[in-house]
Each structure stands twice: as C-alpha cells, then as structure tokens.
Amino acid sequence: MATTSATSSGNLDVNGIVNQLMTVERQPIAKLNTREASYQAKVSAYGSVKGALAGFQTALQGLNSVSKYQSLTATPSDTTVFSASATSSAVAGTYSLDVTSLAQAQKLVAAGQTSSTAAIGSGAATTVTFDFGTISGGAFNAGTGKYTGASYLSNGSGTKSITIDSSNNSLQGISNAINAAQLGVTATVVNDGSGTPYRLALSSSNNGVSNSLKISVSGDAAISSLLAHDPANNAGQSLAETVTAQNANFKVNGVTVTKTSNTVSDVIPGVTLNLNKVTTSAATLTVARDSAAVSGSISSFVKAYNDLNTMLKAVSSYDAANKRGAILQGDSTVRALQSQLRSMLSTPVTGTTGAVTSLSNIGVSFQKDGTLALDQAKLDKVIASNFSDIAGLFTSVGKASDSLVAYSSATSATKPGSYAVNVSSLATQGSATGDLNLNAPPYTIANGTSINVTVDGITASVALTAGATYSAAQLASMIQSAINGTSAFSSVGASVAATITPSGFMSITSSRYGSASNVSLTSSAGTPVSAFMGTITSGTAGTDVAGTINGVSATGSGQRLVSGAGDSTGLGLTISGGTTGARGTVNYSQGYASSLDKWATSILASDGILANRTSGLDKTIKDIGNRRTELETRLVAVEKRYRTQFTSLDTMLSSMNQTSTYLTQQLARL
C-alpha cells in the first residue's frame, strides 16, 4: 500500500511515526500471507501426490493385461528353416518339424505383344473377372503351360472384376488396372527379348493350390483372346502357366500337414510358424514360458508402488535430524491413501481358482520402511509350478469350467466371485434352404444373371457367373463366391456358406449367430432364384443364446450372454456350443493391478478425495485473499487518519514553538 506523503515542519518525524504504526497495523496481513503460503504449499504438495498417483495408475494400466503374465517364447533350432512366435494360449513343449515343400503361388504369362503401349482391341468396355480356385485332374504340359482334361473348382472367396476400355487397353494399361484394383493378383509387363517381347505376367497374391486363377472376359474379342483363361477348358486357356500353385507340406511331431500358406497359425495351438525352406532333417521348436517377461512385469509393479510410496512419504514425513515436518505431515488424506494402499496389497485376491492369491505367494512382501521387495528365487519357483495362476493375481480374469464357455468381458460393476452358468437355448445362424432337389446336374446360369440377396439385413445385387455345366457343388461354390465377393457384404464382414444338404437342397447360411442373422434371395435378371432354390427363397432368422448367470436371467446377443443384475452384473460370456442346461461355473477375479487401477481412478476423479481436498484449500486461499483486500482497504483509512493526526500535532507544536520563541524574545526585552 502506498504511503501518503506528509508535510512536516521538522518538529515531528511524521513519516517515521506513521510507518512504525502501520507496521503494527499490518501484522494481521502478514499472518494472512503466511497462512496463504502454507495453504499454497499444500496445494502444490497435493499436485505432486496427484501426479505420482497418475503415474502409478499409468504403470498399472500397462500391467493390467493377461498377456503380460502368460507370454511364452517360441524358439526354433534352425532359424533358416522356420521362425515362430507364441501367444499366451500356447502350450509349453517341444515339437519336431519336417518341411517337405513350401507353398507357392501360381504364375501365368500372356502371349507376347510387339508393344507394351499399343492399343489392344477396339477399346469397347470389357469386363475381366478373376476367380480363385483349385485345378484338379487332367494332364499338364510343362512345355505349353496348358492343362488337358482338368477341372476347376472356385474356392468361394469371391470373384473380382476390372473394366478395360479405350483408356487402358494397352498391355501396360491392363497391368496398371489389375494392380490398382488390388484383386489379389499382381501384374507385370516383362520383356523376353523376342520378336514380340512384351508379355503380361500374372501372379496370384496368395500361395496354395486353392488360389489358382480362372479369368473370364466379357466384351472385346481381342482382350478375351489375350486374357480369358479357364483351366477346365482345353481350348479356353489363353495364358500359359509358368509356375504351378503348390501347398506347404510338412510334419509336426510326425503328423502330416498341408497348408496353402507358409505362415501357419492353426496347427500348434497359440503358435505361428513361418516356413522358410525344406528340411533335410527334422528341426525342433521349443515353446517355453517367458519367465523373464513375467519377472519384468512383476518388478515393474513393485517399482510403481515404491515410487508412489516414496512420494507419499516425502510429503508427509518428519525430519527428526532437522526437527522439521514435511508440508503434509499428519495430513489425514495422505494417511488414508497410504492406509488404503497397504490394505489392498495385503488382502488376498478373491475369485481365483488357483493356489496363488496373494503377493506373498510369489515372493513380494512389505519391508520395514513400507516399500515392497521381490524375492526372485521364490518367484522363479512359482513361475515353474503355478505359471497360469500368476496372471489372476494382477489382472481381471475369468475362467470357465466348460471349454465351450469363455469369459469375454466385465465392467466396473462386476464383482469377483464364482458364478453358475445355465444355458436354456444355444445361438443359431440364420439360413435359407431350398426345396428343389439338385441331384440331377448339369445346371445352367444364363448370361447376365443377377439376384438380390439379403444377408443379416444388408441387401445387395449379386452377379452370378454364367455357365451351363454346373454340378450342384459347383453351383453352391459359385453362389457362395459371388455373395461373399460382393463389396456390400465383404466391407462389413458379412458372409455366407452355401452347401448342398444330404437331401440335395441348396442351403445358404449366414456366418453370423443370433436374431440379426438371416438370408433371403429374390430374382432380378436372367436365371431365376427358383432354378436352384425351388419355392423357398426366404430363410429362417437365427436365435440368440439364452440363459442365466448366477441364477439371474442374462441378456443374449448372438453367442454372447451378459449378466444384467446382482454381483455378476456386466459379466460377459461367449457360449460357442455344447448343450443346454447347467454349464458349470465362471470364476471372475480382479488382480492387484486391476483393483488398484480402479482405486486410482476413484481417487483422481473430479469428485475424488484429492479434488475435494484441493478444492477446500483453494477456497480457503480465496477467502484469505478477500480478507487481505478488506484489511488493505481499512489500513488506507487508518494510515490517512494517522497522518492527519500527527501532521496536525506537528503543526501545533510548530505554532507553540513559534509562540515560545516570540514570548522568550519579548521577555528578554523587559
């Protein structure tokens, strides 16, 4: 506050007197400033606690994953033969591997052209359709690259087409169009140095015998003459096969396996193999528990707790040597946090089915200074004997006693425990099964045939491949391929399986389970649907799974069953098959990382204990500011009064001095 200037006659030090008096008057403000600084220091300390707790929660979230505690390693004896990786579902053990052949893709080449850029044909719009399937039977002439007497069966993954017209009807234009369409075929124009050197080379993007090409051309005759290729038609093979598609053939522990790819993930559970070369003697794959990863995760958990504990002690401890307490010494909020942490870490995990239920079981224990320490030797023994139980000690885990019942999810409302599962109805898929017997082939699909298909509520026009010699199986395969290759379905993951029932009827089944699953067909152009379905063209919708969890009716959606009430609220299970009736139990547990993560979330919430505490301090600081402003305003008036009073006194003294001097002078003259 500025000091008001004073006029002094020199009899009194008005400024000095007023300043000293105001120093006394300002003592309450000084006390308020001290209190404010203390509260601000506490707010800052709480900010440090909040930051440390947020860091602790981040560390916990990184550790709240089953894969952190159940990882396995997959080690090949010879990495030039194969590489491998394993997931948590793999089984530790040793496997022998003999590779007799690697999978390879079919390669085709077209007749040579004199130019790669000259137009081919008239430029009329021409549709080139690619299908993928298996060539079987007949004879292959390696010299001509052509088949004689072979048959071809689509793999049902769907056909894909491009349009060739005047904008791209050169050899290079066709190559560019194929590559741009990402059909699953790679095109290249090669120069073989001959008189007609430019040749279009095609390669299937996928290995294996079921990915051989059949190419149909509708439109310009010159394009058809160049590209149309049907391995089942002796005269319809415009392309020459330079490399025959081949499967990978190998043995795992003596069991013969054939796959269309050199990357295999469905032979050894949880293990992905990448085959590199043929073996001359058996190689070995060793799948082992990743003890180092598990130890690392647990060490990270211990460190995260100790870091938080160090912070809490730093802001709340007493320095005996310097006889000085930290800013939050004795603070009830910090004491509560410390107490809750220790209590949670000392309480065994409930809901687990294994022998490992507490930190002490794996060698993690509290020290005298409040920190956690890890006994590595004890942990190593637990990893060796109870490896699968460790994950449940730190993460949220559900284990079902029925192999066809799988834990899928839980919510914050789900409480740990053991819950009985009862299934009253299994989920089914929607399907349409015709009533026309197809046991008298061949069947014909006319040119330009398209049908309207609805799969799981999505309707699209589906073009069928024309043909006059379809068997029932080939017809089903073609229809399945046509539906699954339609982008309206494939773009949303909808697909069907078309089969011929033992009675000879066409059956088209959605891959989806539940009440939203259904299939229906209507005629549009060309061959009517009744030609292969009969009078039945609309399907029956699937049904959702139904049952109870923990004795309470649960909600079914497809194969997913979710508890909606009681302690099991939010517990989600996938019922992938089996029978109706009692289906055992699901044990759900929340490990330390999981439960502490939830605890930290509640503490750090906008209405949590830290927010409430700092909010209270902020309010107090604001009140102090208001009180200080009021005092400052009052002191201005006080100082003004003091200056007025002492200035008047000074003036009066001056006057009296002048009078005294005058009287003294007059008396001296007497």
Side-chain angles (χ1 to χ4, degrees):
M1 186 64 65
T3 302
T4 305
S5 63
T7 301
S8 175
S9 62
N11 295 295
L12 286 176
D13 181 5
V14 175
N15 278 336
I17 294 171
V18 171
N19 288 340
Q20 290 182 45
L21 288 172
M22 289 310 298
T23 298
V24 175
E25 293 286 348
R26 293 184 68 84
Q27 285 183 353
I29 291 181
K31 291 180 180 178
L32 287 177
N33 289 341
T34 300
R35 287 179 59 197
E36 182 186 57
S38 173
Y39 288 131
Q40 287 176 334
K42 288 185 177 181
V43 170
S44 178
Y46 277 122
S48 298
V49 171
K50 185 176 181 180
L53 194 55
F56 178 59
Q57 184 180 36
T58 299
L60 292 174
Q61 290 170 342
L63 297 169
N64 188 14
S65 170
V66 173
S67 62
K68 290 280 186 181
Y69 307 94
Q70 293 187 344
S71 59
L72 292 96
T73 59
T75 307
S77 60
D78 185 346
T79 55
T80 66
V81 174
F82 71 96
S83 61
S85 60
T87 67
S88 58
S89 62
V91 179
T94 302
Y95 305 84
S96 67
L97 190 68
D98 289 282
V99 183
T100 54
S101 68
L102 294 176
Q104 62 186 27
Q106 183 195 40
K107 299 183 187 303
L108 302 170
V109 65
Q113 306 293 311
T114 55
S115 170
S116 63
T117 57
I120 301 172
S122 65
T126 300
T127 301
V128 182
T129 301
F130 297 79
D131 195 7
F132 302 87
T134 302
I135 303 169
S136 58
F140 177 70
N141 186 323
T144 63
K146 306 291 176 66
Y147 288 89
T148 302
S151 62
Y152 180 87
L153 180 62
S154 173
N155 65 16
S157 61
T159 59
K160 298 178 181 178
S161 300
I162 60 171
T163 298
I164 302 300
D165 54 25
S166 59
S167 68
N168 58 3
N169 61 332
S170 67
L171 208 59
Q172 189 61 57
I174 294 171
S175 175
N176 293 343
I178 292 173
N179 290 331
Q182 299 183 343
L183 306 166
V185 177
T186 301
T188 308
V189 177
V190 299
N191 184 338
D192 66 7
S194 67
T196 52
Y198 299 104
R199 308 181 71 182
L200 182 67
L202 303 179
S203 175
S204 176
S205 301
N206 295 312
N207 295 328
V209 297
S210 62
N211 291 306
S212 297
L213 280 166
K214 175 183 176 180
I215 304 174
S216 304
V217 179
S218 176
D220 188 90
I223 300 298
S224 179
S225 177
L226 179 70
L227 294 178
H229 185 78
D230 183 358
N233 183 347
N234 296 346
Q237 302 173 53
S238 300
L239 305 172
E241 181 179 278
T242 55
V243 176
T244 301
Q246 177 177 286
N247 285 345
N249 291 287
F250 56 98
K251 292 182 178 179
V252 175
N253 288 350
V255 177
T256 300
V257 179
T258 296
K259 294 293 178 182
T260 59
S261 173
N262 293 315
T263 299
V264 183
S265 58
D266 58 350
V267 174
I268 302 173
V271 175
T272 297
L273 301 172
N274 296 291
L275 307 179
N276 297 326
K277 74 175 185 180
V278 172
T279 55
T280 54
S281 60
T284 300
L285 168 67
T286 301
V287 178
R289 297 171 182 129
D290 193 348
S291 301
V294 175
S295 294
S297 296
I298 294 174
S299 295
S300 296
F301 177 83
V302 170
K303 181 180 183 303
Y305 169 77
N306 286 342
D307 287 347
L308 176 60
N309 181 62
T310 298
M311 167 54 70
L312 294 177
K313 287 184 65 177
V315 298
S316 64
S317 62
Y318 178 73
D319 183 352
N322 296 307
K323 297 181 179 179
R324 186 172 59 188
I327 189 65
L328 295 179
Q329 185 200 2
D331 182 88
S332 60
T333 300
V334 175
R335 286 205 310 270
L337 295 179
Q338 292 171 316
S339 175
Q340 291 169 13
L341 268 173
R342 194 176 181 96
S343 175
M344 292 176 72
L345 292 174
S346 301
T347 303
V349 174
T350 59
T352 61
T353 56
V356 178
T357 60
S358 68
L359 289 174
S360 61
N361 290 152
I362 61 169
V364 176
S365 58
F366 279 104
Q367 307 302 292
K368 290 182 179 178
D369 62 356
T371 61
L372 288 175
L374 172 62
D375 182 340
Q376 188 63 50
K378 188 171 184 178
L379 175 60
D380 290 342
K381 290 181 180 178
V382 177
I383 290 175
S385 59
N386 296 89
F387 181 75
S388 61
D389 293 337
I390 295 176
L393 196 60
F394 293 93
T395 68
S396 293
V397 174
K399 291 184 178 179
S401 59
D402 188 315
S403 62
L404 297 178
V405 176
Y407 161 78
S408 59
S409 63
T411 69
S412 58
T414 312
K415 296 180 180 179
S418 180
Y419 302 111
V421 180
N422 190 294
V423 177
S424 57
S425 177
L426 293 168
T428 62
Q429 297 161 276
S431 65
T433 301
D435 60 358
L436 178 67
N437 190 294
L438 298 175
N439 284 333
Y443 298 98
T444 299
I445 298 296
N447 283 329
T449 295
S450 64
I451 58 176
N452 296 319
V453 180
T454 299
V455 179
D456 305 339
I458 301 168
T459 301
S461 176
V462 176
L464 301 185
T465 303
T469 59
Y470 281 116
S471 67
Q474 289 172 328
L475 192 60
S477 177
M478 183 275 290
I479 291 173
Q480 174 182 310
S481 175
I483 296 174
N484 292 342
T486 301
S487 61
F489 301 127
S490 60
S491 62
V492 296
S495 63
V496 301
T499 58
I500 303 299
T501 70
S503 301
F505 303 139
M506 178 76 72
S507 180
I508 303 175
T509 304
S510 168
S511 60
R512 180 174 179 174
Y513 283 84
S515 55
S517 169
N518 207 342
V519 176
S520 63
L521 309 91
T522 60
S523 301
S524 178
T527 302
V529 170
S530 59
F532 51 86
M533 292 294 290
T535 62
I536 300 175
T537 59
S538 294
T540 301
T543 58
D544 297 315
V545 65
T548 63
I549 298 176
N550 197 28
V552 179
S553 180
T555 301
S557 177
Q559 293 182 302
R560 182 173 161 79
L561 195 63
V562 179
S563 174
D567 289 349
S568 61
T569 297
L571 181 64
L573 308 175
T574 299
I575 314 298
S576 57
T579 60
T580 57
R583 297 294 296 273
T585 58
V586 172
N587 291 285
Y588 173 69
S589 63
Q590 293 175 344
Y592 292 113
S594 175
S595 56
L596 285 171
D597 179 26
K598 293 180 180 178
W599 171 79
T601 297
S602 67
I603 298 298
L604 294 170
S606 58
D607 59 349
I609 186 173
L610 288 180
N612 290 335
R613 191 73 179 96
T614 53
S615 176
L617 290 171
D618 287 339
K619 184 176 183 304
T620 301
I621 291 172
K622 184 178 179 180
D623 290 342
I624 289 174
N626 293 335
R627 177 61 180 155
R628 182 170 52 219
T629 299
E630 293 173 356
L631 286 174
E632 292 282 7
T633 301
R634 187 180 68 82
L635 288 180
V636 168
V638 170
E639 182 176 358
K640 184 178 180 181
R641 187 179 73 249
Y642 280 153
R643 289 190 180 281
T644 300
Q645 291 173 342
F646 283 100
T647 299
S648 296
L649 178 59
D650 183 50
T651 301
M652 183 178 67
L653 288 174
S654 176
S655 177
M656 292 178 69
N657 284 334
Q658 289 176 358
T659 300
S660 174
T661 301
Y662 173 76
L663 290 175
T664 300
Q665 291 173 347
Q666 294 303 317
L667 288 174
R669 292 175 182 171
L670 290 177

